[in-house]
Each structure stands twice: as structure tokens, then as C-alpha cells.
Amino acid sequence: MIRVVASPNIAFIKYWGKELSSDPARVNWALNPSLSLTLSKAQTTTELEFLELGQDSMTLEGHSASEKDREKIRQHLGRICRAMELPVPVAIRYQSENNFPMAAGIASSASAFAALTWATLGCLLGQEEAEKWIALNKRRVSEFCRWGSGSACRSVDGPYMLWRDDAAELQNFPLKLRDTVLILSRAKKTVSSRDGHQAALSSPLLAKRLAGVESRLAQMTRALETHDLKVFGQLLETEALEMHEVARRGTPSVEYWTEDTRRVLSAIQEMTDRDFYFTLDAGPNVHIISERDVSGELRALLSKLGIVAELWEDKSGSSPQYL
Ligand code: 2P0
């Protein structure tokens, strides 16, 4: 039995829009490069066992997995076994839990598929061999994760990951950043990321975004390398607003924000001389990226606005680990 823990990531430069390709090697192939911060406190813990007979047993968050989730897990595991040229198990026991609220606006698919990839390799090769193989084949492992969910390919290491084409690689920046999530809504996402990616393709703003995203990435990379938090923050916010505007202008229009999202963002934008900056995932919750602990200021801001919201205070993290 293999036990593994993996963390999700928050994108600074977003993956929004993927290729429509029937080539299995190009599944979840992003239209643009993306840059992310791997978290540490938010974790998915997955247990996996290959069985020689019997039937699959799969539980997610303590409940028997849905048919759709079973299919996804089976498919992902099968693809890795075939890519490794090793036999697909007759049956599996799979159990996975998150320590963060699913509706916290922290992408659970990234940590879920990173954990499943590590767990599958652990079952196939044995933990010790898997650790060695992963260390020697980081890009390949990132590619395996991508097959499950695009953003998962960035959860293979950290803190900073750059995903370009098939896989993501570690970046070295001198800053230690944290992510404080203002959980404004716990409601389930109205539009899945999958449908969001699809709708983005019809957005009249997508072409312009794609033409400019490399330049924004280069500027953000420079800002992170030179420890220029202010320039980084401005680029971070422009990027988040742009992704959501692309989504909004798609057909169908995808709106992830709530009234509280709008109010919080306006109030933050009005604050002069900030040293913390916002970004958003595909949801209404606001992620605040900063170097220092800004939870006090954020609580004061929420209270001033009369908004009741929990904070999820996270820091930077790294690669999944076997337990
Ligand atoms: C990102 N998001 O870069 C962007 C920004 C959400 C907003 O990646 O279809 O769950 O599984 O490849 O990775 C969400 O998309 O989509 C996402 P799939 P995924 O983090």
C-alpha cells in the first residue's frame, strides 16, 4: 500500500484555454505557458493499493466515489501503467482526502492528480524505486500529471513552476510568497474548469490575450528574479482580471465572481501603497499573494465591508511526498 501527500497550486499566469486535439499525447495541452506557486498547508492525502483479485474500492472525502470520478481515476492510472509498459492492476483500493475545504477556491484536481500519479508510480515500482525514477524523470512525471488535469502538472514541485507545452519545471526566485484565500463563497462552482476552457475558445478577447501573455510572463519572471514585488503584483492583478474577462466574453459567458468578489476587489484596488496583491482561480474567492502575514489587514477589510468570510492562510510548498 502506498500513501502520498500532494499540494495544489495557485497560478500567477493562468492556464485558460486548451487545444482541441484528439491526439492522446496532447491532452490538456494549454494554449499558453503558465506560472504558479505550489502551496504547502493545503494537501491531498491519497492511499493506493493494487489488488490481484476482487473489485475496485474507491473513496473520496470519505464517500464512495461517483461513477464519473471512478472512470477518471481508472483512466489516469491505466495511462500511466501503459506509459511505463507495466501491467494494469485487476483491481485497486483508492482512498483520497483533502484537508482544505473543496469549495475554498483552491483547485483540488491539481493535488488529486499529482497524488494519484505519485501513488501509481509507487505501486508500480515500489516506493524506493519510484522515488529514484521520479527524481530522474521529473518532466515525464509532470506530463503524466497533466494527462489527469492540466494544472496538476505544476504540482510536481515548487514553490515556483513554469508549465510550457508538455510539462512544468521548477523556477528559482528569491521571494518567499504566501497565499491567503478569502473564502467568500462555499457554493459549488457554477461552471467546471473544463467547460470554462471550452468557452474561452469562443471569446473575442482570447487572441489578444494569447498575443500578449508571453511578454507578461517575461516581465513577471524578471520582477520575481529582481524581487520587485510591486511590479509583480501589478502584473498578477492584470492577469487575473484578464482571465476572468476572457471567460465573461465567451459563449456561453462564464462569470465566476459574486457581488462580494467585486466589492472586495474594488476595496483592495482603492488601497494605496499596498504590499499584497490579488489573483483568482476559476471561482469567486480572492487569493492574496504577499511576502508577509497580511491576515490582520484582510480581516479588518472584510469587517469594514460587512462580509463574513473565512481565511485560508497558506505558504509555499514543494513536491509530493510518500508517507
Ligand atoms: C490555472 N485554472 O492555471 C487556471 C486558472 C483555473 C483558473 O487550471 O481541464 O482544473 O483539468 O485541465 O487544470 C483549472 O483548470 O483544468 C485551471 P483541466 P484544470 O490554474
Side-chain angles (χ1 to χ4, degrees), residues 9 11 13-16 18 28 34 109 148-152 154 193-194 197 243 280-282:
N9 63 80
I13 298 286
K14 312 290 184 186
Y15 154 46
W16 203 242
K18 56 176 146 179
N28 297 330
S34 56
S109 70
S149 178
S151 54
R154 299 184 310 233
S193 298
R194 189 198 159 108
H197 284 292
M243 185 212 110
L280 297 107
D281 217 326

Side-chain angles (χ1 to χ4, degrees), residues 236-287:
L236 182 78
E237 295 185 353
T238 307
E239 168 68 6
L241 296 175
E242 183 178 279
M243 185 212 110
H244 282 264
E245 197 54 30
V246 167
R248 214 166 268 136
R249 297 278 303 276
T251 308
S253 168
V254 177
E255 179 59 71
Y256 286 112
W257 297 6
T258 61
E259 188 51 33
D260 282 347
T261 311
R262 252 178 285 276
R263 291 179 64 216
V264 166
L265 294 184
S266 300
I268 293 173
Q269 282 169 317
E270 277 168 21
M271 294 168 93
T272 48
D273 258 355
R274 281 182 282 137
D275 61 353
F276 55 87
Y277 302 92
F278 67 78
T279 187
L280 297 107
D281 217 326
N285 299 322
V286 177
H287 291 243

